[in-house]
Amino acid sequence: MTVCRQVMTKSVCIVGAGPSGLVAAKTLLHDAAPGSFNVTIFDSQHRIGGLWPAHKSDNAGLVHPLMVANQSKHTVQFSDLAWGDSDPDFPKAWQIGRYLERYLKAYGGADIRLGHKVIRTKLQDGGSWKVQTSSGKGEETKVFDYLLVATGFFGSPLWPEGIPREGEVPIIHSSKYRDIESLLSKASNTSNKIVVVGGQMSGVEIAGTIATHLSSLTHSPGEKAIRDAERFTIHHMTQKPAWTVPLFTSANPDALAPPFLPCDLPSYNLAVRPNPLVNSQGHISVDAARKFNSIYQTVLGTDQSVFSPETKIDGELLDKPPFLAVSMHYMDFVRSAIIKPHKGRLSNITGTTVKIESDGGEESMTDVAAVVIATGFDPSPSISFLQPSVLEVLSHSPSHPSLPVALAFHGTHHPTLPTLGFVGFYRSPYWGVMEMQARFVTRLFQEHAEGKASARSPSFQAALKNDDSIQRTLALRDDPRCSQFPMGDYAFLMQEFATALGLTISPSIGTTPPLANGRPMDILTPARHVSSGASEAQREQATQSLKSTYNTAIAGLTGRAFIAAAVFRSLLGEWSLERDLVSKLPSHPSGRFVGTAKFLLRTGTADGREHKFPDSADAPDMGLEYLYIEDGDFIAAGTNMQFRATRRYIWRYDEASDKLSVWFARTDDQACADYLFHELEFIPPPSLAVDSESGDQAQNQQNQQNQPEGQDDRWRAKASHLCIQDLYDVHYEFLFEAVNLSEWKLGYSVHGPKKDYTINGIYRRKTAAT
């Protein structure tokens, strides 16, 4: 006689409706056996998404809705919901919020209580949890079988000791910054400095953002909200420089014509990692530090001294665990002296004066207009609802904000609290890791509910038996050589969870051309680890994601993709310019121009393209553009005639089409664009593999045949413009050192009834400001 044991449905309370809470709910409801769990999610906010707003106008959260993610959509995703092909490679915060809304719609079933703050939990005899919440309707208490913490690490802003929260000038946390006009609304006529405190991810990011807004305020057309905005500079207080990586890097940075990809795709290329993977984070030895610093220097092509002596990483710094930051424009704003790094610690603010402590003593900085604190967040308030005895078991330590609790198996649980789980509760969690943690916790809860811990799979049992995560966390807390992100690197964590759960990584779709090591790319994304019980629809979503990643890699490695973005980013700032004009007609004198060219960054404008950007709330983002100003002296050939010459253009990058274009400036207002001059058509260099699938093979062969004999393998572009009867043939040549332009050339051949001349100019980087 067979006896069937019926397991009652268990209730789970999830605290937090951000990415980690939503993926935990989805896993419990859709990946576990049907009927295993009922899930209730509580969130103090009145929307889902956690950090991520779902509307451009949602400024109430901790993240600016227009902030661009520092990982691409290929990493910022769950395995079974693909981004759309038309979605940008680097989505903005509000677009990530929309993705989460789609995720909830696709994998619903949880009872979501928004506007409900969990204020207290108490572990009951038998392991259940009494959960007390507060909302606009008062307090409520309910008992759940399991409690899952998905609150994230952003409890409350960390504030430097001794620094007031209010003063004569605005003092705000970086999470509260929204626009430059509000920040400087109280600035006096004599104040000219914005102080940013914090040298890691958020400090570099906010300094770059403020510099972009300040540049736009200064150089955009129209009436200025703040007068004389050009007087302001940003003073960035750091303990040591960070390697600052742009959003697009190269899988072959040593090439003269490096191909570009979203920065996370080369970073998570398993083809350059050992197999099996070992944890590269945690305690960083001197040898490991030197290796990491060498890798970052190779990726960037510089020790960063080309930007400023203050950002240079050499000598003893190479022996220390590196800091990493992501920003498109921070370094070139440093080179332009709009951002001025200072090594030291902010010790006091009095009136419009701040004091800075450094190895050289204490110094004062006067005429400060605002102070922005970017020292991160304290995660402890995010778990303040746990009772003291539970926090004690978790070895809770508020004085260690990077490692506040000691949890088993990569931040998922504690072995003595089988009804408590964690998802995404570590610094800078990856979406793929959050999904893996949710699967791991679901397995633990299901085994506990069914009483089947003794029947664990060998891989799951081995993972729990051999795990030393708790001891490792406690050892790292006061380790002076602890890494910036001590939890563990993304690829290693994915491997560890996959092994424990018995998941096999799926193969990539398609094969990329081989890189310098002779192997094709093997890019890790969440879509390569689909749940073993995934439905056909879920697997189709994963396949769609894998195809998108492959197509992105091919477009960058074999074609023109992302080179326009890389060039546009690297133009910012001032260049020395030498240009020769050779005319065949006496009506146009030959001669030489020597001067400077400035690319001044600002928010995109609709001038000349109003049809594409109507004045409405649903209009697409206009992105960024440069006001280009060149100024210098023209010396006519064979004479002593010399005169001052200047001209202006508007340079624009359109993300949707991945196109770079140059526009004439209006004669009556030279800050405004008038009409299109030309659009750059980039020519893939001979070194790039031919993409036969895209149909570009014939074009690539033609480009190689047209390559001037003996010239270096470099990125080039061409364009043309017909001005009444005069035809301008335009050609460009770009010389990269890894991700940064070091010099570039621009030439014209002009032919018409009354014109027959050539212009060849070379742009070289000016020495960095000291």
Side-chain angles (χ1 to χ4, degrees):
M1 179 179 177
T2 302
V3 178
C4 296
R5 182 181 176 220
Q6 185 174 1
V7 180
M8 294 181 59
T9 300
K10 299 295 183 179
S11 58
V12 182
C13 167
I14 297 178
V15 187
S20 53
L22 296 179
V23 74
K26 175 262 175 184
T27 307
L28 288 161
L29 293 170
H30 294 268
D31 292 356
S36 297
F37 301 103
N38 282 330
V39 175
T40 302
I41 305 176
F42 294 106
D43 198 297
S44 59
Q45 297 186 99
H46 291 274
R47 60 161 176 80
I48 66 157
L51 291 176
W52 307 106
H55 302 279
K56 295 180 183 179
S57 58
D58 184 355
N59 284 309
L62 295 177
V63 169
H64 194 299
L66 301 182
M67 184 195 79
V68 178
N70 58 22
Q71 303 280 320
S72 77
K73 66 181 181 182
H74 307 282
T75 300
V76 182
Q77 63 169 234
F78 294 127
S79 66
D80 44 16
L81 185 67
W83 286 87
D85 290 337
S86 62
D87 290 320
D89 280 284
F90 287 93
K92 292 183 170 62
W94 70 270
Q95 293 169 314
I96 296 175
R98 292 282 177 88
Y99 175 92
L100 291 171
E101 288 184 340
R102 286 201 299 121
Y103 188 77
L104 179 60
K105 184 176 181 180
Y107 303 108
D111 178 12
I112 302 180
R113 308 283 185 90
L114 300 177
H116 284 66
K117 180 180 177 63
V118 174
I119 57 176
R120 192 173 296 108
T121 60
K122 185 172 179 59
L123 180 61
Q124 306 294 292
D125 293 341
S128 61
W129 294 86
K130 182 184 289 186
V131 178
Q132 186 176 353
T133 61
S134 176
S135 68
K137 297 181 180 180
E139 295 186 358
E140 182 182 355
T141 301
K142 188 175 180 180
V143 175
F144 294 87
D145 296 311
Y146 297 91
L147 176 65
L148 197 154
V149 178
T151 52
F153 237 47
F154 294 83
S156 64
L158 278 172
W159 209 263
E161 186 177 351
I163 303 304
R165 293 178 181 264
E166 295 181 351
E168 185 176 324
V169 300
I171 306 172
I172 66 168
H173 191 264
S174 58
S175 61
K176 298 299 182 183
Y177 174 81
R178 291 296 176 265
D179 58 78
I180 192 70
E181 291 83 1
S182 299
L183 184 68
L184 297 179
S185 61
K186 298 180 180 179
S188 68
N189 292 331
T190 59
S191 59
N192 56 19
K193 299 179 184 71
I194 301 168
V195 175
V196 174
V197 181
Q200 296 193 40
M201 279 281 192
S202 57
V204 168
E205 180 181 314
I206 198 64
T209 298
I210 294 173
T212 300
H213 292 174
L214 184 62
S215 180
S216 185
L217 176 67
T218 303
H219 302 296
S220 292
E223 191 172 338
K224 310 298 183 185
I226 297 173
R227 295 179 58 188
D228 303 323
E230 62 274 8
R231 74 181 189 269
F232 291 99
T233 51
I234 298 158
H235 295 258
H236 186 197
M237 308 296 161
T238 69
Q239 295 297 310
K240 69 175 185 178
W243 295 107
T244 303
V245 178
L247 293 180
F248 296 97
T249 60
S250 179
N252 188 12
D254 293 329
L256 283 172
F260 285 90
L261 292 171
C263 60
D264 46 337
L265 302 194
S267 296
Y268 309 138
N269 176 18
L270 298 179
V272 297
R273 296 285 299 269
N275 185 18
L277 296 165
V278 294
N279 194 356
S280 64
Q281 299 300 307
H283 175 82
I284 305 296
S285 67
V286 171
D287 287 343
R290 290 172 181 169
K291 178 181 178 180
F292 282 125
N293 283 308
S294 176
I295 290 172
Y296 295 143
Q297 182 166 343
T298 300
V299 169
L300 297 175
T302 174
D303 62 4
Q304 300 188 149
S305 59
V306 295
F307 301 104
S308 165
E310 298 298 325
T311 57
K312 183 178 182 180
I313 299 178
D314 67 346
E316 293 182 356
L317 288 175
L318 298 176
D319 294 339
K320 296 181 179 180
F323 284 168
L324 185 67
V326 179
S327 175
M328 284 291 270
H329 302 295
Y330 174 89
M331 278 299 180
D332 284 311
F333 277 126
V334 170
R335 191 201 312 255
S336 303
I338 294 175
I339 297 176
K340 299 182 178 182
H342 299 262
K343 183 179 178 181
R345 184 183 69 85
L346 182 67
S347 60
N348 192 20
I349 304 173
T350 304
T352 60
T353 299
V354 302
K355 289 188 177 181
I356 306 162
E357 292 182 354
S358 66
D359 293 341
E362 187 176 74
E363 62 177 304
S364 295
M365 183 182 296
T366 59
D367 299 322
V368 171
V371 178
V372 179
I373 305 297
T375 49
F377 287 83
D378 178 6
S380 289
S382 296
I383 52 173
S384 60
F385 53 82
L386 294 175
Q387 67 200 75
S389 59
V390 170
L391 291 173
E392 184 178 358
V393 171
L394 301 178
S395 302
H396 176 231
S397 176
S399 61
H400 295 92
S402 293
L403 296 163
V405 290
L407 300 172
F409 207 77
H410 309 298
T412 54
H413 69 291
H414 195 282
T416 65
L417 298 169
T419 58
L420 176 65
F422 289 79
V423 172
F425 194 72
Y426 72 97
R427 187 177 182 187
S428 297
Y430 284 84
W431 288 47
V433 174
M434 286 190 280
E435 188 171 36
M436 288 292 205
Q437 288 180 322
R439 292 166 177 167
F440 196 90
V441 171
T442 295
R443 178 81 65 88
L444 288 173
F445 284 2
Q446 199 159 18
E447 286 183 350
H448 180 268
E450 298 173 358
K452 293 183 177 179
S454 59
R456 285 173 175 154
S457 67
S459 61
F460 199 72
Q461 181 64 35
L464 292 170
K465 179 181 178 182
N466 299 327
D467 176 51
D468 64 349
S469 298
I470 291 177
Q471 299 91 319
R472 178 177 175 274
T473 298
L474 295 175
L476 286 173
R477 279 180 169 173
D478 297 308
D479 184 349
R481 301 196 63 87
C482 182
S483 62
Q484 184 180 10
F485 304 107
M487 174 72 171
D489 72 81
Y490 170 47
F492 171 76
L493 290 174
M494 293 294 282
Q495 170 192 270
E496 289 290 283
F497 280 108
T499 300
L501 294 166
L503 296 177
T504 302
I505 186 170
S506 64
S508 301
I509 289 182
T511 302
T512 71
L515 301 183
N517 65 355
R519 301 172 63 187
M521 294 188 75
D522 185 15
I523 302 167
L524 174 65
T525 67
R528 295 186 65 183
H529 287 98
V530 181
S531 175
S532 56
S535 66
E536 183 177 346
Q538 288 175 299
R539 294 185 182 277
E540 176 56 34
Q541 287 291 309
T543 300
Q544 185 178 330
S545 290
L546 293 174
K547 287 180 178 178
S548 175
T549 301
Y550 171 71
N551 291 337
T552 298
I554 288 294
L557 292 174
T558 68
R560 306 174 181 88
F562 314 119
I563 179 61
V567 168
F568 180 81
R569 178 201 66 80
S570 201
L571 290 172
L572 192 154
E574 186 171 355
W575 300 78
S576 63
L577 169 59
E578 297 177 4
R579 178 187 293 130
D580 291 310
L581 186 152
V582 178
S583 176
K584 295 181 179 180
L585 301 177
S587 57
H588 285 76
S590 300
R592 183 173 179 79
F593 173 91
V594 178
T596 61
K598 293 181 180 180
F599 286 84
L600 306 170
L601 192 65
R602 69 189 196 187
T603 302
T605 57
D607 300 326
R609 49 180 183 169
E610 290 84 357
H611 65 286
K612 187 175 180 180
F613 298 102
D615 187 13
S616 68
D618 296 329
D621 184 8
M622 289 186 283
L624 295 171
E625 65 186 28
Y626 291 115
L627 173 62
Y628 169 92
I629 302 175
E630 69 175 52
D631 186 66
D633 294 307
F634 181 83
I635 304 172
T639 72
N640 293 323
M641 185 177 66
Q642 178 175 330
F643 57 87
R644 201 73 179 166
T646 184
R647 68 175 70 186
R648 296 188 177 205
Y649 297 104
I650 311 300
W651 286 57
R652 288 169 164 164
Y653 173 68
D654 181 73
E655 182 181 11
S657 62
D658 193 27
K659 294 288 187 180
L660 185 59
S661 59
V662 184
W663 298 63
F664 288 108
R666 280 169 43 181
T667 55
D668 59 335
D669 186 349
Q670 291 199 318
C672 295
D674 193 357
Y675 60 95
L676 178 66
F677 181 10
H678 60 264
E679 188 173 81
L680 280 71
E681 179 187 348
F682 284 91
I683 303 169
S687 61
L688 290 191
V690 174
D691 179 15
S692 58
E693 294 182 6
S694 70
D696 281 343
Q697 184 169 4
Q699 181 64 51
N700 282 12
Q701 290 175 344
Q702 181 181 349
N703 290 333
Q704 292 184 36
Q705 292 170 2
N706 294 338
Q707 186 83 0
E709 186 176 353
Q711 289 203 8
D712 292 333
D713 183 48
R714 298 182 180 180
W715 275 107
R716 290 176 170 81
K718 63 181 181 179
S720 64
H721 172 76
L722 181 63
C723 181
I724 307 178
Q725 293 179 301
D726 301 322
L727 180 64
Y728 289 72
D729 284 321
V730 190
H731 52 274
Y732 292 84
E733 183 178 310
F734 300 98
L735 177 61
F736 278 93
E737 292 181 3
V739 299
N740 298 302
L741 278 176
S742 57
E743 71 175 45
W744 56 286
K745 298 176 182 178
L746 169 58
Y748 300 90
S749 297
V750 184
H751 302 283
K754 298 181 180 181
K755 294 181 180 180
D756 190 355
Y757 60 85
T758 60
I759 299 176
N760 288 289
I762 184 167
Y763 296 73
R764 295 185 176 92
R765 270 296 184 191
K766 297 200 71 175
T767 303
T770 303

